[in-house]
Amino acid sequence: MTLTPSITFIDLLRVFTRIGLLSFGGPAGQIALMHRELVDERKWIGEEDFLHALNFCHLLPGPEAQQLATWVGWRLHGWRGGLAAGLLFVIPGALIILALSVLYAIAANLDWVEALFLGVKAAVLAIVVQALLRIAGRALDTGLKRALAAAAFMGLFLFDLPFPLIVLGAGVIGLMVAAKRPDLLALKPGKMGEVLPERPWRTTILSITLWGAVWAAPMLLIAVTLGQDHVLWEIGAFFSQLAIVTFGGAYAVLAYMAQEAVQGFGWLQPGEMADGLGLAETTPGPLILVTQFVGYLAAFRAPEPFSPFVAGLLGAGLTTWVTFAPCFMWIFAFAPWIDRLGNAVRLKGGLAAVTAAVVGVIANLTAWFALHVLFAEVGQRQFGPLRLYWPDPASFDWRAGVLATLACIMAFGLKWSVLRVLAVSALGGLVLVLAF
């Protein structure tokens, strides 16, 4: 890894504070925002490096957008840059979710939040579509790559195939194609006698040891002071396990988490889980921050020996800690290997194929997000192996449709900035909901 002295640490803090405040729309919107800010506008990261890091993050458990932000910070300013970028990506959304969780727990009226973020969701839909087209135009430069992207989209959207299967399958195809026909993936021939970077074993072992201790520290404290029967231990243990199996981002694990939180532990009611998901989808930061909402309410309702408010804060803080500490561990431990892996022709083929498949993954997330923005009720219908999302036409939200159309005009036609589109759309959502 080489540091980039031309980009100061203050620049990094300023830009990632902006990204953290504007990172709406789940992983698709967040990846789109980072691509626009870091690749298109500031050119801090090259297109190829960005996409290789993105598909690498898709192979790790946890929220891929937050890990991508951590990788960018690490690439630019080492471990302190990675820590700063990763934290700034999470903190704004975490504070907002915490505030809304507090209001929710005391039965505050959140109608104004729904109104405000109706416009935000519509704006994010336009921004995501714009970014998807931009990324696809640059990444899918061969027929095989376009076929892999289409296959990944159909596998996820129509056949509900497991996310790891999509990624691993694309990687295997890329390895085989690179050995015989590298031109099909637009691969440049490797340089003869090229010296590979040194294997960073020491860095990897040190990172796993350090961040493993950081991850485990609050759980050890709870075990010693409150015992393993306390709700905080249950929260920490459950979300620590979730952090290990969250492959493919939050969407891949939300159903399981919701079922366990409602039916397994009885922390929430079904309607409350839906409210939490709505809050997480309409606030900045990773969608997996919905875990903080769950942790707050779970501890708030079983507070002994604390007050409900203090217990809720501890539950929310613990949930966020055990969810994101592993993300830093994965990046700091394994990111130094990306440059070494990228120099091998076959591995380049695997990464190129996975990158193409990731475009299909983003398209799948975009379609899923669009359906849930425009329709209040989206069911599923099964036709043999084929799974179709089936929106209820009667639940079409004409306000979201109007706002999404206006957002597209602002983003595509007028070429307004992300912040301006979000602000105008949010105001439009508030006006429409209050007027109708």
Side-chain angles (χ1 to χ4, degrees):
M1 182 201 67
T2 58
L3 302 183
T4 309
S6 61
I7 301 168
T8 68
F9 189 66
I10 297 300
D11 288 337
L12 184 144
L13 293 177
R14 177 175 53 81
V15 171
F16 273 96
T17 298
R18 170 184 168 85
I19 289 173
L21 291 170
L22 297 178
S23 57
F24 295 91
Q30 292 151 6
I31 292 166
L33 175 64
M34 282 191 285
H35 186 272
R36 179 168 178 167
E37 292 281 339
L38 303 172
V39 179
D40 288 340
E41 295 186 359
R42 291 176 174 81
K43 303 188 186 306
W44 285 2
I45 299 293
E47 181 80 27
E48 183 178 358
D49 287 340
F50 183 89
L51 292 174
H52 280 183
L54 174 59
N55 62 51
F56 173 77
C57 291
H58 272 92
L59 297 174
L60 300 174
E64 65 271 29
Q66 189 268 346
Q67 290 170 334
L68 180 62
T70 304
W71 177 86
V72 172
W74 170 85
R75 185 66 178 264
L76 297 177
H77 276 282
W79 68 267
R80 70 168 186 158
L83 189 61
L87 288 175
L88 288 172
F89 191 85
V90 172
I91 287 174
L95 292 176
I96 294 173
I97 288 288
L98 179 60
L100 294 176
S101 298
V102 172
L103 291 173
Y104 191 95
I106 59 176
N109 186 351
L110 297 180
D111 288 346
W112 66 273
V113 176
E114 180 182 356
L116 189 65
F117 286 111
L118 173 67
V120 170
K121 288 190 290 186
V124 167
L125 178 57
I127 293 166
V128 166
V129 171
Q130 184 185 47
L132 173 63
L133 295 175
R134 185 186 302 119
I135 293 173
R138 295 178 180 179
L140 306 182
D141 53 357
T142 71
L144 178 60
K145 288 183 178 181
R146 289 189 285 272
L148 287 170
F153 172 78
M154 290 187 291
L156 291 168
F157 192 79
L158 298 178
F159 295 96
D160 197 23
L161 294 179
F163 177 85
L165 180 63
I166 297 290
V167 173
L168 292 175
V172 170
I173 292 173
L175 289 172
M176 294 189 297
V177 171
K180 300 293 184 181
R181 291 287 306 278
D183 57 296
L184 294 179
L185 291 168
L187 296 178
K188 297 177 182 178
K191 298 178 181 179
M192 296 299 293
E194 185 175 13
V195 179
L196 295 178
E198 183 180 352
R199 291 182 175 89
W201 289 113
R202 183 177 180 276
T203 300
T204 296
I205 294 171
L206 182 62
S207 297
I208 291 175
T209 302
L210 174 62
W211 282 97
V214 170
W215 186 4
M219 296 301 293
L220 292 175
L221 181 62
I222 292 169
V224 171
T225 58
L226 299 173
Q228 297 184 16
D229 294 328
H230 197 272
V231 67
L232 287 178
W233 176 267
E234 293 181 345
I235 291 170
F238 174 67
F239 287 112
S240 290
Q241 295 170 13
L242 208 66
I244 298 174
V245 301
T246 316
F247 288 94
Y251 291 107
V253 79
L254 283 179
Y256 169 72
M257 184 202 70
Q259 183 178 20
E260 287 298 307
V262 173
Q263 298 178 6
F265 293 99
W267 292 333
L268 286 78
Q269 299 299 316
E272 293 174 332
M273 191 67 238
D275 291 340
L277 292 174
L279 291 178
E281 286 194 16
T282 53
T283 50
L287 184 58
I288 200 68
L289 278 174
V290 69
T291 58
Q292 187 186 67
F293 174 83
V294 175
Y296 182 91
L297 290 184
F300 181 89
R301 289 165 177 172
E304 295 78 10
F306 310 102
S307 68
F309 176 70
V310 170
L313 292 180
L314 291 174
L318 175 64
T319 302
T320 304
W321 186 290
V322 299
T323 297
F324 290 100
C327 296
F328 289 103
M329 182 175 73
W330 309 136
I331 292 298
F332 291 144
F334 300 120
W337 292 87
I338 294 181
D339 289 337
R340 179 179 177 85
L341 296 177
N343 285 323
V345 174
R346 288 194 178 187
L347 287 174
K348 278 186 176 181
L351 290 174
V354 172
T355 297
V358 165
V359 176
V361 173
I362 297 174
N364 171 64
L365 296 178
T366 303
W368 187 92
F369 184 67
L371 286 172
H372 287 79
V373 168
L374 299 175
F375 296 90
E377 300 291 336
V378 180
Q380 297 182 20
R381 293 192 179 183
Q382 203 76 27
F383 300 93
L386 193 66
R387 186 277 314 274
L388 294 179
Y389 288 111
W390 205 269
D392 180 4
S395 70
F396 176 73
D397 191 337
W398 65 269
R399 299 168 303 178
V402 169
L403 291 168
T405 301
L406 292 176
C408 285
I409 293 173
M410 290 184 284
F412 286 94
L414 302 178
K415 301 187 185 301
W416 283 5
S417 68
V418 172
L419 182 60
R420 194 175 182 185
V421 174
L422 282 169
V424 173
S425 297
L427 181 61
L430 193 61
V431 169
L432 281 181
V433 169
L434 291 177
F436 299 94

